[in-house]
């Protein structure tokens, strides 16, 4: 079975540019999570969706960040305009249900570098 | 606010040793605790999930325990192998499916 699929795997762009990260969750999973990982802060939850609806976006750092889930099989995380401090690895994860006792399955991440 | 701490930050052992990784959390009101493995440049692989009502979970050479009242979990790896080298992350689910992660323990098993 295909796992969580993220694209691109790597992104290098100049500050000020718009960046769009993409995620395809595991089929049948109805919860989707976006995380950011840095050396300093570790893994932090940015936002999560349940049945395509954003439930908690308190981790989104600034208005420059936005996330959408137009359907059950696709989500995007957008940064506009991007800044060097946004450089990190961004992970998408999905789980079977909104019930808290289901494990989360992670994609391989997008390594983002803002110059 | 839930905080998760993992000790040690790094660990180096010779092949064959049994080892214990530690995880502590500040708020004992949790739904479950999950241990992950992360290989360099890769995502996280779920190893074990312990429900709040459970004391331990086992998978092969891995055993995870949970003491919710004291805010502690351990991951025990038996007969370590070089292929076990990775970063191990502990994550606590305090509700609404959101996970709070520790910063991980980087494990190196030498042949």
């Amino acid at each position: 079975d295909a796992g969580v699929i993220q694209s691109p795997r790597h992104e290098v762009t100049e500050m000020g540019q718009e960046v769009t990260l993409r995620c395809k969750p595991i089929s049948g999973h109805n919860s989707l999570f976006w995380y950011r990982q840095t050396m300093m802060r570790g893994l932090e939850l940015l936002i999560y969706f349940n049945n395509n609806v954003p439930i908690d976006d308190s981790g989104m750092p600034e208005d420059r960040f936005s996330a959408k889930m137009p359907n059950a099989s696709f989500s995007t995380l957008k940064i506009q305009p991007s800044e060097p401090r946004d450089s990190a690895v961004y992970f998408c994860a999905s789980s079977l249900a909104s019930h808290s006792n289901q494990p989360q399955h992670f994609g391989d991440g997008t390594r983002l570098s803002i110059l | 606010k839930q905080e998760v701490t993992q000790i040690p930050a790094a660990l180096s052992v010779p092949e064959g040793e049994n080892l214990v990784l530690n995880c502590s959390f500040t708020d004992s009101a949790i739904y479950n605790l999950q241990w992950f493995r992360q290989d360099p440049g890769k995502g996280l692989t779920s190893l074990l999930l312990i429900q709040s009502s459970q004391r331990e979970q086992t998978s092969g050479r891995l055993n995870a325990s949970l003491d919710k009242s004291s805010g502690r979990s351990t991951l025990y790896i038996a007969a370590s192998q070089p292929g076990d080298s990775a970063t191990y992350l502990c994550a606590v689910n305090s509700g609404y499916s959101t996970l709070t992660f520790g910063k991980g323990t980087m494990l190196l098993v030498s042949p």
Side-chain angles (χ1 to χ4, degrees), chain B residues 44 81 101:
Chain B
L44 280 66
Q81 302 171 358
F101 282 85

Side-chain angles (χ1 to χ4, degrees), chain A residues 32-50:
Chain A
L32 183 140
F33 309 83
W34 282 101
Y35 291 90
R36 179 171 66 176
Q37 185 177 38
T38 62
M39 288 292 292
M40 287 292 293
R41 300 172 68 92
L43 262 164
E44 300 174 292
L45 178 69
L46 300 177
I47 185 171
Y48 93 93
F49 295 84
N50 188 43

Side-chain angles (χ1 to χ4, degrees), chain A residues 20-23 34 49 66-70 74-78:
Chain A
T20 299
L21 312 181
R22 297 172 175 79
C23 175
W34 282 101
F49 295 84
S66 63
K68 294 182 179 179
M69 192 165 185
F74 184 66
S75 177
T76 60
L77 178 67
K78 187 173 293 187

Side-chain angles (χ1 to χ4, degrees), chain A residues 9 31 33 35 37 39-43 45 48 56 91 97-104 106-109 111, chain B residues 31-32 34 36 38 40-46 49-52 89 93 95-103:
Chain A
R9 289 296 315 278
S31 292
F33 309 83
Y35 291 90
Q37 185 177 38
M39 288 292 292
M40 287 292 293
R41 300 172 68 92
L43 262 164
L45 178 69
Y48 93 93
D56 182 358
F91 287 104
S98 59
H99 193 288
S100 296
N101 284 329
Q102 294 291 334
Q104 293 184 18
F106 282 69
D108 283 343
R111 185 172 297 273
Chain B
Y31 281 85
N32 60 55
Q34 201 167 350
F36 292 89
Q38 185 175 26
K42 293 288 190 179
L44 280 66
T45 301
S46 179
L49 184 150
I50 310 177
Q51 314 286 7
S52 62
L89 293 152
N93 185 337
Y96 305 105
S97 298
T98 59
L99 294 178
T100 303
F101 282 85
K103 291 194 175 178

Side-chain angles (χ1 to χ4, degrees), chain B residues 10-91:
Chain B
L11 181 63
S12 182
V13 300
E15 182 177 7
E17 272 203 10
N18 303 324
L19 58 99
V20 175
L21 308 181
N22 297 291
C23 172
S24 62
F25 46 96
T26 54
D27 186 349
S28 62
I30 66 171
Y31 281 85
N32 60 55
L33 183 145
Q34 201 167 350
W35 282 93
F36 292 89
R37 168 188 173 136
Q38 185 175 26
D39 293 285
K42 293 288 190 179
L44 280 66
T45 301
S46 179
L47 298 173
L48 291 164
L49 184 150
I50 310 177
Q51 314 286 7
S52 62
S53 60
Q54 296 176 320
R55 296 283 296 185
E56 65 179 73
Q57 279 283 351
T58 298
S59 175
R61 293 182 294 108
L62 304 180
N63 177 278
S65 68
L66 174 64
D67 185 341
K68 201 172 71 162
S69 60
S70 68
R72 297 187 183 201
S73 176
T74 61
L75 179 67
Y76 175 82
I77 303 177
S80 58
Q81 302 171 358
D84 295 330
S85 299
T87 296
Y88 290 81
L89 293 152
C90 165

